[in-house]
Amino acid sequence: EEVAKHNTEEDCWTIVHNDVYKLDGFVRKHPGGLKLISKAMGADCSADFEATFHSRRARTMLEGFKIGTLVEKDRVASRVNPAFAGGGGGGYPFNPFMQNRLAVPMHRPPTMTS
């Protein structure tokens, strides 16, 4: 409820994986532009954040805007594989579609001989 009140360019809060970020000064600087980041204003943008590549540098930068963590009753289950979240793994998300592709061996047609 509180985060939803902060939904303007001048007063922008967002949620990424149950952490709350105050992005007021960053909104116009976002590389994806105002239109893209406006979807995150006053809302949980975890899925959108993970659906778009964000470098380790971008994820570190995001941490600088953190102002809090949601209380237990307001949290939602994270869709990020903990093995990839944070630090050393670069924070790449668990993507079930990509995971399935990696789990299935690449099909190669048989070699033709003459």
Side-chain angles (χ1 to χ4, degrees):
E1 286 179 25
E2 183 63 29
V3 173
K5 296 175 189 175
H6 303 272
N7 60 3
T8 67
E9 188 178 327
E10 297 77 26
D11 182 22
C12 176
W13 290 12
T14 192
I15 300 167
V16 179
H17 302 302
N18 298 313
D19 290 325
V20 181
Y21 300 91
K22 182 176 171 67
L23 302 177
D24 307 351
F26 181 70
V27 171
R28 288 235 172 241
K29 297 175 186 172
H30 186 267
L34 182 60
K35 185 176 180 180
L36 186 64
I37 201 168
S38 66
K39 295 178 189 178
M41 293 177 181
D44 185 326
C45 72
S46 302
D48 289 336
F49 184 81
E50 295 301 348
T52 306
F53 174 77
H54 285 91
S55 67
R56 186 175 299 158
R57 180 174 178 254
R59 291 170 184 274
T60 301
M61 182 185 296
L62 179 65
E63 287 305 309
F65 295 105
K66 185 176 174 178
I67 58 171
T69 300
L70 293 179
V71 294
E72 193 67 38
K73 71 177 184 70
D74 293 334
R75 292 182 183 184
V76 295
S78 177
R79 294 186 183 128
V80 174
N81 181 335
F84 294 105
Y92 299 108
F94 171 72
N95 180 331
F97 300 106
M98 182 57 102
Q99 193 71 12
N100 288 341
R101 277 193 239 152
L102 295 174
V104 177
M106 184 181 229
H107 174 73
R108 293 197 174 125
T111 307
M112 302 290 288
T113 58
S114 10

